Amino acid sequence: MSTLKLKLDQDQLIEDFFDSTHLLGVVSTARDYQLCWQINRQLHYQFNVNNSLEINLSKHQRSFYFSVFEYQEPTKSVAHYFYNNHCKAEFLLPELRHIDYLWLIKGDYYQQQDVKKLIEELRHVELVQLVSLLDLREIKNKMNLIF
């Protein structure tokens, strides 16, 4: 009797997950919960930590946990995910070591002008030092963002 082995098509998984998404890089020395609180207060979002989305990476026989905050816009079918890009001395996306947080916007509602407006609003948040739109094509470790 032969056993059937199924192989996960990572390229298709990545393509499906990142369909209709925008990714922002945020630089801030604040802790994730402090920054999310400030964003919630100033921009009227409702980010909450979602422990079930926490990303666990194992490297060098050690485990690293990257927190993910989530906000679902009720009227626009848009989900916002705010990832911590570092845990101790490890990075969720090692190619973006200079970025502290990643903000993934998932859904068809947001167009380029909406993202640009959000970036401008984020630049006025007291704890934010820098915000930039990231090109997903240049990110090597996209699989690390998929929960």
Side-chain angles (χ1 to χ4, degrees):
M1 184 159 137
S2 67
T3 58
L4 177 66
K5 290 187 179 183
L6 298 176
K7 186 178 179 211
L8 182 64
D9 183 352
Q10 285 190 348
D11 292 336
Q12 187 63 49
L13 179 66
I14 289 170
E15 186 179 319
D16 291 346
F17 184 84
F18 290 103
D19 185 41
S20 301
T21 61
H22 302 277
L23 186 63
L24 307 178
V26 180
V27 176
S28 174
T29 57
R31 296 202 177 248
D32 52 8
Y33 63 89
Q34 293 170 319
L35 184 54
C36 284
W37 180 83
Q38 190 80 39
I39 290 168
N40 288 347
R41 199 171 67 88
Q42 280 188 243
L43 304 183
H44 310 290
Y45 282 81
Q46 295 175 9
F47 276 107
N48 289 303
V49 70
N50 186 335
N51 292 324
S52 66
L53 298 180
E54 183 177 71
I55 297 169
N56 177 13
L57 291 183
S58 296
K59 290 185 180 181
H60 313 295
Q61 299 170 347
R62 293 180 60 200
S63 290
F64 299 93
Y65 298 92
F66 299 88
S67 59
V68 179
F69 288 72
E70 178 182 31
Y71 168 56
Q72 301 277 341
E73 286 193 58
T75 58
K76 297 177 184 169
S77 298
V78 174
H80 298 265
Y81 301 100
F82 195 81
Y83 299 78
N84 200 330
N85 190 39
H86 54 80
C87 175
K88 300 175 185 162
E90 282 300 325
F91 293 87
L92 187 60
L93 297 180
E95 63 271 28
L96 297 174
R97 292 176 181 269
H98 60 286
I99 300 291
D100 297 307
Y101 302 101
L102 303 156
W103 184 327
L104 181 75
I105 304 165
K106 193 166 176 47
D108 291 328
Y109 183 83
Y110 275 70
Q111 302 302 314
Q112 281 302 118
Q113 66 270 17
D114 300 310
V115 175
K116 286 180 181 176
K117 183 179 180 223
L118 175 59
I119 289 171
E120 284 306 311
E121 290 173 347
L122 268 172
R123 287 184 175 146
H124 291 93
V125 172
E126 185 180 325
L127 297 175
V128 172
Q129 296 171 331
L130 178 76
V131 183
S132 58
L133 182 61
L134 302 174
D135 187 345
L136 284 165
R137 295 172 296 197
E138 295 178 9
I139 297 174
K140 298 174 193 156
N141 295 288
K142 289 186 199 91
M143 274 302 289
N144 291 355
L145 297 176
I146 298 175
F147 28 80

